[in-house]
Amino acid sequence: QVQLVESGGGLVQAGGSLRLSCAASGSISSINDMAWYRQAPGKQRELVALITSGGATSVSDSVKDRFTISRDSAKKTATLQMNGLKPEDTAVYYCNADVRLRYSDRSSMYWGQGTQVTVSS
């Protein structure tokens, strides 16, 4: 019913930049929070950045001052601009959204399939 599709991952040298995009589609009435998570090999999935429906943002301390999250609510998209990338940023990045479906009074969490980001030293 809801699909989240990420794009923009890839291989970049340390200090470089990447821009991840997430597009939501399906029987969507509204989207509350949208977020980016990441999971490195052998580690737990962690929250990287979140943006509310009102545009308030928060980012983890590990990426503060380097990553910026934004969204276009009309287009149902979220973007993660990543600057000053470090090898420790290497992970699979997942888009997450709290979505209320049409004809529903409840919201549910949805995940994208993930996109690989690899930062070489």
Side-chain angles (χ1 to χ4, degrees):
Q1 288 176 309
V2 174
Q3 297 80 39
L4 299 180
V5 178
E6 302 108 331
S7 61
L11 174 63
V12 65
Q13 289 188 332
S17 298
L18 283 175
R19 186 179 179 90
L20 304 184
S21 296
C22 172
S25 62
S27 300
I28 298 171
S29 173
S30 60
I31 302 177
N32 300 318
D33 296 348
M34 298 187 78
W36 288 94
Y37 287 73
R38 68 185 181 186
Q39 187 167 20
K43 295 188 177 182
Q44 288 189 332
R45 191 172 297 189
E46 62 172 352
L47 176 64
V48 176
L50 179 145
I51 184 166
T52 69
S53 57
T57 63
S58 64
V59 296
S60 70
D61 288 342
S62 62
V63 304
K64 191 176 181 180
D65 299 327
R66 298 188 297 122
F67 290 12
T68 302
I69 187 170
S70 59
R71 69 188 284 174
D72 185 327
S73 294
K75 295 182 179 179
K76 300 183 181 66
T77 60
T79 299
L80 185 67
Q81 178 66 44
M82 306 185 294
N83 299 327
L85 283 161
K86 305 175 181 180
E88 51 263 44
D89 294 320
T90 295
V92 178
Y93 284 70
Y94 297 91
C95 178
N96 170 270
D98 183 24
V99 178
R100 187 162 71 90
L101 299 177
R102 291 175 187 164
Y103 314 118
S104 175
D105 58 356
R106 296 186 301 172
S107 64
S108 300
M109 301 294 280
Y110 292 86
W111 293 89
Q113 80 286 354
T115 185
Q116 177 69 47
V117 171
T118 302
V119 185
S120 63
S121 58

